[in-house]
Amino acid sequence: MVILIPDRITSPDVERSVFGIGYDVICCDVKNAWEVTDENWKRADAVLLWQDVKINHETIRKMKKCQIIVRVGAGTD
């Protein structure tokens, strides 16, 4: 299973330890969805979004295998 984290995160050690063996965590370290390769969108089984990368219907259409999109965050706006 492939977990895609497009946002600015360079060391997904916590995420890898949570998901464990059998999960491939891909970090793109970008600010915009268009900076993520189409191949990475296509490979993703799940996507974790923090705050920088915003996705739209065009991006979602690229996700051929994705089962879940999670907006990670806490607190109030």
Side-chain angles (χ1 to χ4, degrees):
M1 179 166 277
V2 175
I3 312 292
L4 178 65
I5 304 174
D7 283 274
R8 291 203 166 269
I9 177 174
T10 56
S11 181
D13 295 336
V14 171
E15 289 80 3
R16 285 193 175 112
S17 69
V18 168
F19 291 115
I21 297 171
Y23 291 87
D24 184 14
V25 179
I26 299 172
C27 292
C28 299
D29 191 25
V30 300
K31 283 190 151 189
N32 301 292
W34 56 265
E35 295 177 271
V36 178
T37 66
D38 288 350
E39 183 60 30
N40 278 337
W41 289 122
K42 189 186 310 183
R43 290 182 58 209
D45 294 296
V47 177
L48 300 180
L49 297 169
W50 267 256
Q51 64 185 18
D52 289 334
V53 176
K54 308 290 189 257
I55 61 173
N56 57 28
H57 66 279
E58 292 175 22
T59 305
I60 291 172
R61 279 199 295 257
K62 295 177 184 181
M63 298 181 212
K64 303 300 181 189
K65 297 173 31 182
C66 188
Q67 298 173 29
I68 187 167
I69 300 169
V70 177
R71 166 54 173 90
V72 180
T76 59
D77 292 339

